[in-house]
Amino acid sequence: MSVIEHLEELRHRLIFCLIALAITTAFSLFFATQVFDLLLRPAPAGFKPIYTEMTEMFITYFKVALFTGAGLAMPVFVYHFIRFIAPALMPQERRYTLSLLPAVLLCFFSGAAFAYFVLLPYAIRYLLTFSGIAEPFIKIGNYISFATLILFWMGVGFETPLVMYFLAKIGVVSARKFASFRKYAFLGVFILAAIITPTPDPFNQSLVAIPLYLLFEIGILLAKLA
């Protein structure tokens, strides 16, 4: 295929993804209130965010529907991404990629679940009770952005073992090479944890860094199996 033909195919696949996102977002508008309730549950009892601008609640409501729609449409996104890059892969690599598709979605949602049930409650409680000097009045838009950011990046972080397995399976990097990166990985996950978690205390950062490093070690084991 020529460059123009590749761009044309990319355009068609982006259109399909945007249509899927529009449908799932429109569907999500009907239960965005329930999603709001779910996102607020990790906060301490009695916590109630505020809004200070006329359009803030409306924009945040639509943002929640958009994030929910993106989550529902993710299988479509991943499918079209794989279909787009498939011609550049060898037949064996293509089979590996397609076989890992369910695991990609499972790992992402597992990471988001870990963030929701373990990380968010501790992080939110710490930030709200950090000091008794001032009374916290948290804007709804700020809270939703904070929660969804952590959910997303932890979901991405849980993809690490699969990426390592795939790279080892197609012969790009060996398990021995991954193992030689251990000290850099240990430092890197704590730097990444400091970026993901906005809290300066080591406890919350460890809640993120330790699982991420364990995922790296699982990735090494999977690379050996590959």
Side-chain angles (χ1 to χ4, degrees):
M1 295 174 65
S2 66
V3 175
I4 299 299
E5 289 172 329
H6 277 298
L7 292 176
E8 186 67 20
E9 183 187 3
L10 178 61
R11 186 177 71 87
H12 283 302
R13 296 201 179 278
L14 287 175
I15 289 174
F16 276 114
C17 290
L18 289 175
I19 292 173
L21 180 61
I23 293 172
T24 53
T25 300
F27 176 73
S28 300
L29 286 171
F30 293 102
F31 55 91
T33 302
Q34 287 77 10
V35 178
F36 264 111
D37 293 338
L38 286 174
L39 291 174
L40 289 170
R41 282 184 185 178
F47 172 76
K48 190 175 181 66
I50 63 170
Y51 65 96
T52 59
E53 300 173 9
M54 291 295 293
T55 59
E56 182 178 0
M57 192 63 211
F58 173 80
I59 293 174
T60 306
Y61 193 89
F62 182 78
K63 185 187 296 185
V64 168
L66 182 63
F67 288 154
T68 307
L72 295 176
M74 185 174 293
V76 178
F77 299 160
V78 175
Y79 170 79
H80 281 287
F81 172 75
I82 291 175
R83 292 291 295 174
F84 180 71
I85 67 171
L89 301 175
M90 300 294 289
Q92 191 176 14
E93 296 171 349
R94 196 176 302 125
R95 287 197 301 271
Y96 295 152
T97 304
L98 292 175
S99 64
L100 288 176
L101 178 57
V104 169
L105 300 175
L106 178 62
C107 288
F108 181 85
F109 289 114
S110 297
F114 172 81
Y116 181 81
F117 290 107
V118 178
L119 179 59
L120 271 180
Y122 284 104
I124 293 171
R125 190 177 301 112
Y126 176 86
L127 291 172
L128 292 178
T129 59
F130 174 72
S131 173
I133 297 175
E135 186 73 18
F137 290 98
I138 311 300
K139 297 173 65 174
I140 183 65
N142 177 263
Y143 176 87
I144 294 299
S145 297
F146 168 76
T148 53
L149 185 68
I150 291 181
L151 292 173
F152 173 77
W153 283 113
M154 285 305 298
V156 172
F158 269 59
E159 304 284 358
T160 303
L162 280 182
V163 174
M164 295 171 66
Y165 174 82
F166 179 75
L167 292 176
K169 194 70 175 176
I170 64 176
V172 175
V173 186
S174 66
R176 185 186 299 272
K177 192 66 175 178
F178 278 130
S180 68
F181 293 148
R182 274 194 173 100
K183 57 183 179 181
Y184 303 108
F186 187 80
L187 176 63
V189 294
F190 274 92
I191 294 175
L192 183 61
I195 296 172
I196 294 176
T197 56
T199 61
D201 67 299
F203 179 73
N204 277 305
Q205 291 181 8
S206 298
L207 279 177
V208 176
I210 292 175
L212 289 178
Y213 183 76
L214 291 177
L215 289 169
F216 178 78
E217 292 291 339
I218 292 172
I220 293 177
L221 295 177
L222 291 177
K224 290 181 179 178
L225 294 176

